[in-house]
Amino acid sequence: MENTKAKLSWLEKPDVFAINRLEAYSSHKFYASQEEYQNKETSLKQSLNGLWKFSYAQNPDLRVKKFYKEDFNDSGFDTIKVPGHIQTQGYDHLQYINTQYPWDGLDELRPPYISRKYNPVGSYVKTFTVDKSLKNKRIFISFQGVETAMYLWLNGKFIGYSEDSFTPHDFELTDFIREDSENRLAVEVYKRSSASWIEDQDMFRFSGIFRDVFLYAIPEVHVRDIFAKTTLDDSYKDGILLLDTKLEGNLENTEINVELYDEDQVVWSRKEKAREKTFMDIKLENIKKWSAETPYLYDLKITLVKNREVIEVATQKIGFRRFEMKDGIMLINGKRIVFKGVNRHEFDYLHGRAISEDVMLHDIKFFKQNNINAVRTSHYPNQTRWYELCDEYGIYVIDETNLESHGSWQKLGECEPSWNVPGSKEEWLDNVLDRANSMFQRDKNHASVIIWSCGNESYAGDDIVKMHDFFHKVDDSRLVHYEGVTWNRDFEEATDMESRMYAKPQEIEEYLQGNPSKPYISCEYMHSMGNSTGGMKLYTDLEDKYPQYQGGFIWDYVDQAMLKTDDFGEKVLGYGGDFDERATDYEFSGDGIVFADRTPSPKAAEVKQLYANVKVKVTEEGVIIKNDNLFIDTSAYIFETIVKRDGQKIWQKDYSFNVLPQIKQEEVIDWPNIEKIPGEYIFEVNVCLKESVAWANERHELSFGQLVTKVSSKDNEIVSGKLNVVHGDVNIGINGDGFSVLLSRAEGGIVSLAYNGKEYITRTPKTTFWRAMTDNDRGVKHGFDRGVWLQAGLYQKLVDVNVKEELSEITVSFKWKLPLAKEIYNVISYTVTPDGKVKVTAKYFGVDGLPSLPAYGYELKLKRKYNQYKFYGLGPDENYIDRDNGVKLGIYEGDADTNLAPYLVPQETGNHRGTRWLEVTDVYGEGLRFVANGDTFESSVLPYSEYEIEQAMHQEELSNPHYTWVRLLAAQMGVGGDDSWGAPVQKQFWIPSNKDLTVSFTIEPTI
């Protein structure tokens, strides 16, 4: 033992981060016998998870100082669940913050100092007796994750101290543990330490023992560490295993038996005398290679035999793969890799970062189902089980060191690194190298880990360069990543690839066109905050254009929001600021392509389609299949071919096509003859799994393609009959068989529309130029730039009414002047025919010199009971001009409430492009049908207007719906996603003010 007395001063010393903590080692499994190995259950491990006694204090001065003593009476302590956070179990408060430090404006601090008045302390006590199977052996304890700093005592004796929230803290207890009576374990956990300056990740700030705690014993001889470094030879056919093992204990008369299993077959083995360090260089012919497409794993088994008795069996699953850079391009098993990735926080809306294996399984299956092939562990090492699942299911991993010091160098978006840590500061060097080493040692045997990352958003400096050099020194089988050098190119050597955050497509192209020496990835892109992820295709299109463009990682996977009970007793989701915490960065916690409860957001459909490895382009002759897989053909897929007429399926047939990897080829489909029957035809090809796999059921769809054609009708519908027109002083009444219409000169439009005596109009519909601002809109100050269009829709003035009567129709046009500096008008016309149909046309006449429009169209308010919809257009998920690749043309139905996506902050939602017709009805199917005249329109059916939605900051602030709002738009601008704090929507997805816009549709009854 180095120290026998704990010191509070360690909390403010960056060079003190581990006292008596064991050296990091690999996360292999070990068993006491062959039988245990076969059953995959070890007797050498004893879980300490469960209820612990607990006391909370706001700062160290208020803590129970002597609680660790054996004779301390802890009967007054509460209980707390381990693993779990203090803040999710009724203590302290939740706090979300992004780039600031949590104490900004509350304490005037600089590294490495911490607050004296606010530094929550958790005092944990656990009593236990040692399991029989652990007795008479050396005994250790492992804390898999403790945030942020911990002191440990056993039976009143100080054991050790440790920092680094996201890698294991192991200590030996042998000299202090009582094997035949009760033991008393005491842990003191501090929320803040000097480590907090380099754990400034964009996340909720928790503390406590949030990962597993367990005892483990080791037998007389033990495999302490395994480094099974795998690669392939230059032919990429044969496997090479460079095996380093470290043994400890009494090695006399001990034999080490190393075996490699392919399922139940031993494919290689060697026995030799056990030594403290063993190295084996193993070559295996025609190896089954590991990749995300073919995640094949072998079982490495190391058996220690002493005097002919099995003492220990250690195991590790390994995959053979070769990851390298050649000629400025990253290759996996000799093929150019493209990362189709996401960033993923370990997060659960109930338990924070104390996530379960069920949550991890859900996530890994979601990745595979949605064509995500890579993950960056933003921004810390994850639980070991996550890497095992990535190995097993096939996900490429950028494993990221627990390092972020964002608030030390970037203030209000500006780079100001005068007191940046770790920088080039000697006192921080050992600390960050220890973090790198702890991650490396634990995760080095995982085939899925192909890149080490030095951390996130910590600027630059010699310390990070030395982390990079460390990774290369200990491991030449992987590359090293760090993005922060983009802020200071003097430290370019800290990264092997050009990695940027939120670079625009044009900026990426500019880099790639400059003949760079390093390949490019976006370690963060497509900031998916709220209604976002627009323009993603501009990025994925670069994959085929530039070999050195090697993909990116969307920010991010899951919304960070915590379930809470509000002042009205309702369970709601809370984001930053909702827990009375300050400082905070509010709703910036909601950036996921899945919502906090892990239901997919509408953004996920776009990701799935654009990340697909098998892409199909439907033609009149068949289908062009582009197989972007690197190693597998398409024999595992069914190509489901469908023909629909006017949205209704009329033909279907399954095909099997075998397209080799990296090949594009055309296949013939015997489409049915459609020439004689008029209608709109959809030729559709869906790429589906032929059989069930571990992550999805058979027929799970991975991608699709559609071709839309029309067979015209020669018949023109002739409307006959007579209209009865009543000319009032204010109103123009029109009625016929089973319908009546009233158009008001005073209100400027239709005030009554009744079919069979049922009234549908609640108030005169108006044109709209606005949408409820998205998070991206707010970030780019859309309201400041385009706010005139909010005013235009709300305060336009009626200036003229024109009536045109013909034998079989009457048209009334209303001209509205907009409250803008220029003479700007839009006109709404209503044409009524004897069959009761009402043709509505809204026209905006474009002018120069104004901001682009958020939207333009027609909005009407129906009674609440008309909240069911059915439409023929792009769906089923909401879609926009810059996010419509993941939706299909078809007929879909739903209701207004579920069409409102539950973004953390209510915003524009529910839009559907390419709408041919829309029905809005009650539950009995009675209501209105809106049919496009010529060009399609964009539509949404929601329980609130855009103005109501815009005023709410949480979903629960939206009151019980009283109406159904129907929007029929000529156009709406894109939602964007390059970033959420200043990047505009890409210009090709704007609506220029000088563009004429028209939306035209016919209203008729559904019954």
Side-chain angles (χ1 to χ4, degrees):
M1 287 288 185
E2 294 180 21
N3 288 272
T4 56
K5 186 177 180 182
K7 297 179 182 178
L8 208 59
S9 61
W10 295 338
L11 292 171
E12 294 186 319
K13 292 181 180 292
D15 56 348
V16 178
F17 47 83
I19 303 295
N20 299 331
R21 190 185 75 199
L22 268 64
E23 291 184 4
Y25 57 90
S26 56
S27 60
H28 63 278
K29 294 178 171 62
F30 55 93
Y31 307 89
S33 67
Q34 291 283 6
E35 183 181 3
E36 287 188 6
Y37 163 72
Q38 293 294 335
N39 295 329
K40 297 296 184 284
E41 290 184 3
T42 181
S43 63
L44 298 173
K45 183 176 175 180
Q46 178 179 342
S47 174
L48 296 183
N49 291 350
L51 292 179
W52 291 45
K53 293 203 168 181
F54 181 76
S55 174
Y56 169 80
Q58 185 172 310
N59 61 52
D61 291 340
L62 300 176
R63 79 192 193 282
V64 182
K65 295 181 176 62
K66 304 296 183 181
F67 83 106
Y68 61 85
K69 288 185 173 292
E70 277 202 276
D71 58 358
F72 180 83
N73 183 355
D74 56 24
S75 61
F77 276 29
D78 299 330
T79 57
I80 197 168
K81 186 177 179 182
V82 172
H85 300 294
I86 290 171
Q87 291 75 16
T88 59
Q89 300 186 69
Y91 305 95
D92 190 24
H93 61 261
L94 293 167
Q95 181 179 25
Y96 163 74
I97 202 163
N98 180 8
T99 62
Q100 311 171 60
Y101 282 109
W103 50 82
D104 190 74
L106 303 175
D107 279 293
E108 203 160 322
L109 299 169
R110 286 292 182 265
Y113 300 108
I114 56 177
S115 175
R116 305 290 181 185
K117 61 185 180 184
Y118 176 78
N119 185 10
V121 185
S123 300
Y124 292 78
V125 174
K126 181 72 170 179
T127 55
F128 66 91
T129 55
V130 177
D131 286 353
K132 182 179 179 181
S133 57
L134 272 64
K135 293 179 179 180
N136 301 313
K137 301 178 181 70
R138 291 173 66 192
I139 297 178
F140 303 81
I141 190 167
S142 181
F143 294 83
Q144 292 290 294
V146 181
E147 193 172 2
T148 296
M150 62 169 287
Y151 296 81
L152 176 66
W153 294 264
L154 179 65
N155 298 327
K157 306 296 185 183
F158 175 66
I159 301 298
Y161 171 82
S162 188
E163 297 173 2
D164 186 356
S165 300
F166 298 100
T167 53
H169 316 274
D170 283 31
F171 302 90
E172 184 165 5
L173 305 180
T174 307
D175 293 341
F176 305 99
I177 204 161
R178 293 191 285 258
E179 293 191 349
D180 297 318
S181 60
E182 190 172 72
N183 293 274
R184 188 174 186 274
L185 191 72
V187 187
E188 197 168 66
V189 178
Y190 287 81
K191 187 174 185 179
R192 304 272 166 79
S193 69
S194 58
S196 302
W197 291 98
I198 56 172
E199 294 187 8
D200 189 35
Q201 289 94 335
D202 172 10
M203 62 188 184
F204 274 86
R205 308 304 171 93
F206 299 116
S207 65
I209 306 171
F210 69 99
R211 289 182 182 166
D212 290 343
V213 183
F214 54 88
L215 302 174
Y216 64 96
I218 63 172
E220 183 181 356
V221 187
H222 171 59
V223 179
R224 171 54 67 179
D225 185 70
I226 300 170
F227 188 10
K229 184 165 64 173
T230 65
T231 187
L232 305 174
D233 69 358
D234 291 342
S235 72
Y236 301 102
K237 291 181 179 178
D238 297 337
I240 298 169
L241 170 60
L242 304 176
L243 179 62
D244 276 296
T245 57
K246 292 180 183 177
L247 308 183
E248 60 182 328
N250 180 4
L251 301 180
E252 188 177 355
N253 298 323
T254 303
E255 182 179 73
I256 182 171
N257 180 13
V258 180
E259 298 169 294
L260 190 67
Y261 283 81
D262 179 356
E263 295 183 345
D264 295 329
Q265 293 292 115
V266 177
V267 295
W268 184 91
S269 66
R270 180 184 294 175
K271 292 181 182 180
E272 60 182 53
K273 182 181 178 181
R275 298 183 299 276
E276 186 177 335
K277 291 185 179 181
T278 302
F279 175 75
M280 297 181 182
D281 186 342
I282 304 158
K283 186 169 183 178
L284 298 153
E285 294 183 353
N286 296 315
I287 203 77
K288 295 172 183 174
K289 296 180 281 291
W290 186 96
S291 70
E293 299 162 24
T294 58
Y296 200 88
L297 295 173
Y298 289 79
D299 284 306
L300 176 66
K301 179 184 176 187
I302 300 173
T303 305
L304 299 179
V305 180
K306 191 176 185 69
N307 298 322
R308 299 185 180 182
E309 179 185 352
V310 172
I311 301 298
E312 183 181 73
V313 179
T315 66
Q316 176 69 57
K317 288 187 177 294
I318 61 172
F320 287 85
R321 52 105 182 99
R322 179 167 170 175
F323 186 66
E324 62 191 327
M325 190 182 295
K326 278 189 176 180
D327 301 322
I329 296 175
M330 290 179 284
L331 307 176
I332 183 79
N333 301 341
K335 303 292 185 180
R336 168 183 170 250
I337 192 172
V338 175
F339 294 109
K340 302 177 179 187
V342 294
N343 286 270
R344 173 183 174 271
H345 268 291
E346 286 188 312
F347 192 83
D348 173 75
Y349 76 122
L350 297 174
H351 306 295
R353 285 187 286 279
I355 65 171
S356 67
E357 182 173 346
D358 286 344
V359 168
M360 289 185 259
L361 272 167
H362 175 279
D363 292 352
I364 209 89
K365 290 178 180 179
F366 181 91
F367 283 12
K368 299 295 288 188
Q369 291 165 5
N370 289 275
N371 300 315
I372 294 165
N373 74 358
V375 65
R376 176 172 172 238
T377 65
S378 52
H379 303 287
Y380 42 79
N382 288 184
Q383 290 188 45
T384 293
R385 183 60 180 143
W386 177 247
Y387 300 89
E388 294 172 350
L389 291 172
C390 289
D391 292 345
E392 179 183 342
Y393 283 82
I395 296 292
Y396 301 118
V397 177
I398 294 183
D399 202 5
E400 191 141 86
T401 310
N402 178 25
L403 172 62
E404 179 167 344
S405 62
H406 206 150
S408 75
W409 63 273
Q410 192 172 46
K411 292 91 175 177
L412 295 173
E414 298 298 322
C415 182
E416 197 289 284
S418 60
W419 52 273
N420 169 240
V421 290
S424 300
K425 296 177 172 59
E426 188 68 26
E427 66 269 27
W428 289 90
L429 177 60
D430 287 346
N431 190 313
V432 298
L433 287 176
D434 177 75
R435 288 165 181 254
N437 182 61
S438 293
M439 177 179 74
F440 162 73
Q441 299 294 352
R442 191 195 68 170
D443 299 339
K444 60 196 173 192
N445 294 318
H446 291 287
S448 56
V449 177
I450 59 175
I451 295 175
W452 301 116
S453 175
C454 296
N456 184 64
E457 293 179 316
S458 297
Y459 189 60
D462 293 332
D463 290 6
I464 294 174
V465 171
K466 289 175 181 176
M467 293 174 70
H468 168 276
D469 295 345
F470 161 79
F471 282 125
H472 275 300
K473 180 181 177 181
V474 296
D475 185 8
D476 60 1
S477 67
R478 297 174 172 100
L479 297 178
V480 182
H481 163 273
Y482 184 64
E483 174 272 341
V485 301
T486 59
W487 295 92
N488 188 335
R489 293 294 184 175
D490 290 342
F491 298 93
E492 187 79 33
E493 67 268 34
T495 185
D496 296 339
M497 67 282 299
E498 177 74 6
S499 174
R500 299 185 188 178
M501 293 183 179
Y502 309 108
K504 315 302 184 289
Q506 300 85 346
E507 295 166 349
I508 298 170
E509 285 205 79
E510 183 180 351
Y511 171 80
L512 294 168
Q513 289 167 357
N515 192 29
S517 60
K518 295 180 180 180
Y520 178 91
I521 63 169
S522 289
C523 66
E524 293 179 20
Y525 83 116
M526 279 286 97
H527 197 264
S528 297
M529 183 176 174
N531 192 347
S532 185
T533 323
M536 181 176 167
K537 192 172 186 294
L538 300 177
Y539 295 87
T540 56
D541 281 350
L542 301 177
E543 294 170 9
D544 291 335
K545 194 173 181 182
Y546 300 100
Q548 284 186 292
Y549 178 80
Q550 301 204 249
F553 296 78
I554 292 167
W555 186 265
D556 61 341
Y557 171 59
V558 60
D559 281 352
Q560 293 185 68
M562 297 295 296
L563 195 69
K564 57 172 279 193
T565 303
D566 68 11
D567 293 342
F568 305 95
E570 185 181 354
K571 294 285 188 182
V572 298
L573 287 171
Y575 53 75
D578 289 341
F579 306 95
D580 294 334
E581 82 276 28
R582 303 295 185 272
T584 186
D585 284 302
Y586 301 99
E587 68 271 22
F588 254 77
S589 63
D591 309 330
I593 61 170
V594 301
F595 295 118
D597 64 357
R598 280 180 161 71
T599 56
S601 85
K603 297 167 283 190
E606 188 82 351
V607 174
K608 178 182 180 180
Q609 180 72 355
L610 292 177
Y611 272 178
N613 276 342
V614 179
K615 298 177 172 66
V616 291
K617 181 180 180 182
V618 183
T619 68
E620 292 183 354
E621 292 75 31
V623 60
I624 299 171
I625 302 169
K626 183 171 180 283
N627 183 7
D628 287 336
N629 282 300
L630 303 180
F631 309 109
I632 61 173
D633 59 28
T634 61
S635 59
Y637 307 129
I638 285 289
F639 293 83
E640 180 184 80
T641 61
I642 296 171
V643 178
K644 298 177 183 178
R645 181 171 60 243
D646 296 328
Q648 301 290 342
K649 187 190 296 185
I650 60 170
W651 181 89
Q652 180 172 345
K653 187 175 181 180
D654 289 345
Y655 286 84
S656 292
F657 300 124
N658 194 6
V659 182
L660 297 177
Q662 298 286 285
I663 294 295
K664 179 196 284 188
Q665 70 187 46
E666 188 165 6
E667 298 284 355
V668 175
I669 294 172
D670 55 342
W671 300 116
N673 188 349
I674 62 167
E675 294 179 1
K676 296 181 180 179
I677 304 176
E680 181 176 62
Y681 288 84
I682 304 167
F683 297 85
E684 181 173 308
V685 177
N686 302 314
V687 184
C688 305
L689 290 177
K690 187 177 291 184
E691 298 176 352
S692 294
V693 293
W695 45 267
N697 294 326
E698 64 175 314
R699 290 283 178 172
H700 172 77
E701 183 183 299
L702 290 166
S703 65
F704 68 90
Q706 288 186 319
L707 173 69
V708 180
T709 64
K710 287 187 178 181
V711 175
S712 299
S713 171
K714 297 180 181 179
D715 299 328
N716 293 318
E717 184 179 355
I718 299 174
V719 179
S720 60
K722 187 177 180 181
L723 289 169
N724 180 30
V725 181
V726 179
H727 294 276
D729 295 328
V730 175
N731 301 308
I732 302 166
I734 308 157
N735 56 73
D737 186 14
F739 77 92
S740 65
V741 177
L742 201 62
L743 297 159
S744 170
R745 291 185 175 90
E747 293 293 319
I750 191 167
V751 293
S752 175
L753 175 61
Y755 290 108
N756 298 317
K758 287 194 175 182
E759 178 62 66
Y760 287 97
I761 302 298
T762 60
R763 196 67 191 260
T764 306
K766 296 290 196 300
T767 51
T768 179
F769 299 80
W770 193 246
R771 71 175 181 203
M773 284 198 292
T774 65
D775 287 320
N776 291 340
D777 291 342
R778 283 188 291 271
V780 78
K781 309 307 177 191
H782 171 103
F784 182 87
D785 295 335
R786 296 183 176 88
V788 293
W789 295 113
L790 170 61
Q791 174 181 302
L794 284 172
Y795 303 116
Q796 53 188 309
K797 182 174 70 173
L798 182 66
V799 293
D800 191 27
V801 179
N802 182 269
V803 181
K804 182 180 179 182
E805 291 189 54
E806 298 182 12
L807 183 64
S808 60
E809 65 180 36
I810 181 170
T811 300
V812 183
S813 300
F814 301 90
K815 185 176 183 181
W816 293 82
K817 184 178 181 180
L818 305 185
L820 302 174
K822 299 189 175 189
E823 293 282 320
I824 306 172
Y825 301 92
N826 78 129
V827 174
I828 310 173
S829 65
Y830 297 87
T831 300
V832 185
T833 52
D835 55 4
K837 295 180 179 180
V838 180
K839 178 182 177 182
V840 182
T841 302
K843 292 184 178 181
Y844 161 80
F845 302 96
V847 295
D848 291 320
L850 286 172
S852 61
L853 283 71
Y856 177 69
Y858 184 87
E859 187 171 64
L860 68 159
K861 180 173 68 171
L862 301 179
K863 294 173 183 176
R864 168 64 177 163
K865 67 178 180 177
Y866 301 111
N867 60 2
Q868 308 295 303
Y869 68 80
K870 187 176 185 180
F871 71 95
Y872 177 29
L874 293 179
D877 292 295
E878 68 181 26
N879 48 88
Y880 298 84
I881 189 173
D882 61 350
R883 200 185 79 215
D884 64 356
N885 296 281
V887 289
K888 296 180 184 178
L889 178 60
I891 296 174
Y892 305 99
E893 56 187 282
D895 62 76
D897 292 357
T898 55
N899 195 38
L900 186 142
Y903 299 116
L904 288 182
V905 175
Q907 55 198 275
E908 160 60 36
T909 184
N911 190 69
H912 294 280
R913 302 188 69 237
T915 304
R916 278 72 169 158
W917 53 258
L918 166 68
E919 293 179 352
V920 184
T921 69
D922 60 19
V923 293
Y924 304 106
E926 191 167 13
L928 299 179
R929 179 180 172 95
F930 305 86
V931 181
N933 298 321
D935 291 339
T936 62
F937 52 81
E938 303 190 23
S939 66
S940 66
V941 180
L942 296 168
Y944 309 102
S945 72
E946 71 263 38
Y947 309 114
E948 290 175 293
I949 292 171
E950 180 148 331
Q951 292 305 308
M953 291 303 294
H954 299 83
Q955 291 293 330
E956 64 270 19
E957 293 174 29
L958 294 166
S959 62
N960 289 331
H962 292 83
Y963 297 97
T964 296
W965 291 85
V966 180
R967 279 163 64 89
L968 309 163
L969 303 178
Q972 182 177 171
M973 69 180 290
V975 292
D978 289 345
D979 67 45
S980 300
W981 51 88
V985 170
Q986 290 283 330
K987 205 160 188 176
Q988 61 263 49
F989 306 122
W990 289 13
I991 308 171
S993 67
N994 61 2
K995 181 181 180 180
D996 292 345
L997 298 168
T998 301
V999 60
S1000 183
F1001 52 88
T1002 296
I1003 306 175
E1004 57 188 70
T1006 57
I1007 296 178

